[in-house]
Amino acid sequence: MMKKYFLIAFSLLFGLSQSQIIRKYSNEFLNIGAGARGLAMGGAVVSNQDDVYSPMWNPAGLMAIERDWQGAAMHAEYFESIAKYDYLAYAKVLEEGVFGVSIVRLGVDNILNTTQMIDAEGNIDYDKITKFSQSDYAAILSYAFHPAGNTKLDVGVNAKIVYRNVGKFASGYGFGFDIGAIYKADNGWKFGGMLRDATTTVNFWSINQKELSTVVNGEEFNPAPKDKMELTMPKLNVGASKVFNINNSLYVLPEAGINVDFAKTAALVSTDFASLTPYAGAELGYQKMIFVRLGVNRFQSITDIEDLKRKVSFQPSAGIGIKYRGLTLDYAITNSGIGGSNFYSNFFSLKLDMGQFRND
């Protein structure tokens, strides 16, 4: 029954999106990822994320949860705590699959509002400067299952509801779908893929023209945008991974793959149709209790400002983790890429696996 509802909603959204104009970017806060493990590995978890954090990387990974339920939380701050990013998630094993719900928030508080600082005659009044907040929210409902009972193949779907608020100036509501799959080969390799915003994600905006604009000497500033709707282009992430046991206590889990944006970007390989960006990461585990992780992604071709030569840039990441019974604490240091920034931030995430906790 759960699968039926997802498929019906998926079809309705597909029909709606075909009649709209597609934009390049929107809802970028949903591309940050969640869970310090995946962030430390540079997002190289498309085929091997196997817990409650899976919806942000590949919802098919939820099928790796075998018993009871899992809960998770993550917090991070950017730009000297100006921006805050939070994630809460819960996943429950059902009779035929795994159901999950996730909440995401990215917010910037205490932004100066200067739209009313200058009156109609051009006089400046600093007392009219106020503050507002900008927040992006998303609720994600996920479901993973074995299609036709095939235990080698995991399939997962995300249904996303988005709310974005820019103080009193504007607010927007959106909805969309992601779909992912993981195939487990007999030789130990895993192959994963996730199509984000599979049908394009629709955002409808409502703009408060009175709050946004100001008139000075008969001229209007900050006019409201004419387009009140934006569609998020699909993105495809594919990767392959395998566990290599070094001895009875040590193992290494590498993954490599490609991120595909269906738009022209600064990626190493970029066309009008699509842009390709490689990524790689690895996890070194000791007795499945202590973990060290490295990753690299966001390879781009950029022009150096000083000598005007083309260069290749990339983003490294790293982190550690510790697990005791059903409780896991992970840490990562990486650049979220918000607004094209080059600032590195600290990510902390916590996971409780009640099935393992009770079993121990």
Side-chain angles (χ1 to χ4, degrees):
M1 184 64 68
M2 184 74 70
K3 288 182 282 186
K4 180 180 179 181
Y5 288 149
F6 269 110
L7 291 174
I8 291 174
F10 186 92
S11 300
L12 289 174
L13 181 59
F14 182 82
L16 173 65
S17 65
Q18 296 308 298
S19 63
Q20 310 301 332
I21 298 175
I22 297 176
R23 297 186 184 280
K24 264 191 179 182
Y25 305 106
S26 66
N27 298 330
E28 286 298 300
F29 75 105
L30 290 176
N31 295 324
I32 296 174
R37 176 182 184 267
L39 292 165
M41 294 174 66
V45 293
V46 177
S47 65
N48 68 79
Q49 190 74 39
D50 56 2
D51 57 18
V52 68
Y53 287 107
S54 294
M56 296 297 283
W57 306 105
N58 186 346
L62 287 173
M63 280 304 294
I65 303 175
E66 298 178 347
R67 300 183 302 274
D68 221 320
W69 60 269
Q70 290 185 1
M74 188 191 78
H75 177 74
E77 298 184 0
Y78 310 103
F79 317 124
E80 297 182 353
S81 300
I82 294 176
K84 297 178 175 62
Y85 181 61
D86 295 287
Y87 178 84
L88 290 172
Y90 170 84
K92 171 68 176 177
V93 178
L94 303 179
E95 185 176 347
E96 295 184 357
V98 179
F99 171 78
V101 57
S102 310
I103 304 295
V104 186
R105 180 188 184 273
L106 174 65
V108 179
D109 300 317
N110 298 319
I111 304 172
L112 294 180
N113 172 19
T114 60
T115 58
Q116 307 302 318
M117 183 179 67
I118 303 176
D119 63 22
E121 287 72 37
N123 300 312
I124 298 177
D125 185 354
Y126 292 102
D127 291 334
K128 291 186 177 182
I129 297 177
T130 58
K131 295 181 179 180
F132 68 97
S133 298
Q134 176 177 343
S135 300
D136 298 329
Y137 298 87
I140 305 173
L141 301 179
S142 308
Y143 185 71
F145 59 96
H146 294 307
N150 184 356
T151 57
K152 289 186 177 181
L153 180 63
D154 303 334
V155 173
V157 179
N158 288 334
K160 303 183 292 188
I161 301 174
V162 178
Y163 172 69
R164 306 183 67 184
N165 176 264
V166 187
K168 297 179 180 179
F169 306 111
S171 61
Y173 293 88
F175 55 94
F177 289 86
D178 308 321
I179 185 168
I182 296 176
Y183 178 76
K184 293 163 284 188
D186 293 332
N187 59 6
W189 281 94
K190 290 184 178 181
F191 303 92
M194 178 180 179
L195 184 61
R196 299 176 182 271
D197 306 300
T199 61
T200 70
T201 293
V202 187
N203 277 75
F204 299 96
W205 283 92
S206 175
I207 299 176
N208 188 334
Q209 178 62 49
K210 181 178 179 181
E211 290 288 343
L212 179 65
S213 66
T214 181
V215 177
V216 178
N217 295 327
E219 183 178 356
E220 181 182 11
F221 293 87
N222 303 322
K226 295 181 180 180
D227 298 327
K228 303 298 193 304
M229 186 181 67
E230 57 185 8
L231 302 185
T232 304
M233 285 289 291
K235 294 180 175 63
L236 177 65
N237 311 123
V238 294
S241 63
K242 183 179 180 179
V243 175
F244 295 92
N245 293 310
I246 301 173
N247 53 41
N248 292 334
S249 298
L250 283 173
Y251 75 86
V252 61
L253 169 60
E255 176 175 302
I258 296 176
N259 296 325
V260 183
D261 288 278
F262 293 99
K264 189 175 183 61
T265 69
L268 295 182
V269 179
S270 183
T271 67
D272 290 335
F273 173 71
S275 301
L276 308 180
T277 305
Y279 71 84
E283 175 182 79
L284 177 67
Y286 174 72
Q287 293 188 347
K288 296 183 179 180
M289 292 179 59
I290 300 174
F291 311 93
V292 178
R293 300 159 182 138
L294 297 172
V296 60
N297 62 10
R298 292 200 177 99
F299 288 87
Q300 292 184 325
S301 178
I302 62 174
T303 300
D304 188 275
I305 299 178
E306 296 182 356
D307 55 20
L308 299 181
K309 293 183 178 180
R310 300 293 292 178
K311 296 183 179 181
V312 176
S313 69
F314 59 89
Q315 175 189 303
S317 55
I320 58 175
I322 184 169
K323 179 180 179 181
Y324 176 70
R325 299 181 69 180
L327 194 63
T328 305
L329 176 64
D330 293 314
Y331 164 78
I333 181 169
T334 184
N335 175 7
S336 69
I338 296 177
S341 68
N342 292 316
F343 295 97
Y344 281 75
S345 302
N346 300 304
F347 292 78
F348 294 91
S349 64
L350 186 67
K351 180 181 71 176
L352 173 62
D353 186 339
M354 186 56 67
Q356 186 171 9
F357 187 82
R358 290 175 176 170
N359 188 60
D360 291 342

